[in-house]
Amino acid sequence: MAKRRKSVVPVHNEMHRSHRVGWLRAAVLGANDGIVSTSSLLIGVAAADSDRSAVLLAGVAGLIAGALSMAAGEYVSVHSQADTEKADLELEKKHLEQEPEFELFELTQIYIERGLDEELAKEVADQLMEHDALAAHARDELGITETTSAQPLQAAFFSAVSFSLGAALPLSTVWLAPHESVIRFTAASSLVFLVVLGAVAAHAGGANMLRGSARVLFWGSIAMAATAVVGKLFGVAVG
Ligand SMILES: [Zn+2]
């Protein structure tokens, strides 16, 4: 018996990464947004020949505005997802009470579609529904598990913090760099931050590091180049 149990352990110790991709993705997206939008903003303002304090002030305002807007956006989107899940579960609960036969048939069909033969599918559906009917339907029909259950406040706080951390990188570059070459410093350091972040995210998610970095490098460069051009043109126009 002991031997048998042991042979099961390695299967469960396998590294599954997809379950932690959720919060990782949110953190990386937040930091990524913070770097790209703040460095673009800083470069745009600097390209319009602003002095150092004006560039810094714009950057700080951008950090606060961005963090708040990320938090609000995330809160609303996660909250509405949670509402939808809750409504779905309520509806499913009602169906289970009113039409248990149909619900058993429905779950059986789902398992047949996934590859079980009819007899086994019915037996699995039967036993799972006896154990916890709502959990079985939530998981296999609606795709709702405990780990996907959305947490709005946590998500809002998390994305605001990761955006701020990302934004602090180009902002501190502007703080430290000599003002006459602030655009070059900000652009170069932000691209380095983006590449490192992309590689770390890809590595943690078990994806190709090079591809992850190349993608953020490409889009980050385009964003910065675009705002530099706009800042320059606008600086000439209003200056
Ligand atoms: Zn159902």
Side-chain angles (χ1 to χ4, degrees), residues 34-47:
I35 296 173
V36 174
S37 73
T38 308
S39 60
S40 301
L41 179 67
L42 291 167
I43 288 170
V45 176

Side-chain angles (χ1 to χ4, degrees), residues 92 95-96 102-104 106-107 110 129 133 137-138 141-142:
E92 191 65 32
H95 286 169
L96 283 166
F102 175 77
E103 288 297 325
L104 176 63
E106 186 185 52
L107 200 58
I110 288 170
M129 278 183 72
H137 281 259
E141 182 189 345
L142 307 173

Side-chain angles (χ1 to χ4, degrees), residues 11-225:
V11 179
H12 284 271
N13 278 353
E14 240 176 47
M15 283 288 284
H16 288 296
R17 302 181 195 232
S18 54
H19 64 268
R20 68 177 194 207
V21 161
W23 65 260
L24 179 74
R25 192 178 148 273
V28 169
L29 280 183
N32 218 76
D33 267 10
I35 296 173
V36 174
S37 73
T38 308
S39 60
S40 301
L41 179 67
L42 291 167
I43 288 170
V45 176
D49 279 331
S50 314
D51 58 25
R52 189 163 172 276
S53 61
V55 178
L56 278 171
L57 186 62
V60 172
L63 184 153
I64 294 167
L68 291 179
S69 118
M70 287 284 286
E74 195 72 2
Y75 182 83
V76 169
S77 107
V78 176
H79 205 287
S80 74
Q81 191 194 330
D83 284 347
T84 309
E85 285 184 2
K86 209 171 142 199
D88 271 348
L89 285 175
E90 286 298 321
L91 193 67
E92 191 65 32
K93 208 178 193 172
K94 217 162 93 191
H95 286 169
L96 283 166
E97 278 162 16
Q98 290 168 351
E99 308 172 89
E101 285 302 312
F102 175 77
E103 288 297 325
L104 176 63
F105 170 77
E106 186 185 52
L107 200 58
T108 306
Q109 294 307 307
I110 288 170
Y111 296 137
I112 291 173
E113 264 168 47
R114 290 190 192 168
L116 301 188
D117 63 48
E118 203 180 329
E119 209 174 321
L120 183 58
K122 190 156 186 300
E123 204 181 316
V124 171
D126 238 343
Q127 283 197 23
L128 285 179
M129 278 183 72
E130 207 151 296
H131 177 65
D132 187 344
L134 186 59
H137 281 259
R139 188 182 55 238
D140 292 331
E141 182 189 345
L142 307 173
I144 301 172
T145 62
E146 273 170 67
T147 46
T148 63
S149 291
Q151 308 211 307
L153 270 180
Q154 196 182 326
F157 177 75
F158 204 54
S159 59
V161 168
S162 53
F163 180 94
S164 302
L165 289 176
L169 294 171
L171 202 52
S172 48
T173 309
V174 170
W175 182 268
L176 296 169
H179 187 64
E180 56 281 6
S181 43
V182 71
I183 292 178
R184 250 173 300 157
F185 269 89
T186 307
S189 65
S190 293
L191 292 176
V192 172
F193 296 141
L194 284 174
V195 168
V196 172
L197 187 67
V200 168
H203 179 70
N208 187 307
M209 285 170 72
L210 205 64
R211 208 175 304 155
S213 294
R215 195 161 34 208
V216 288
L217 185 63
F218 177 74
W219 291 109
S221 311
I222 287 185
M224 280 178 241

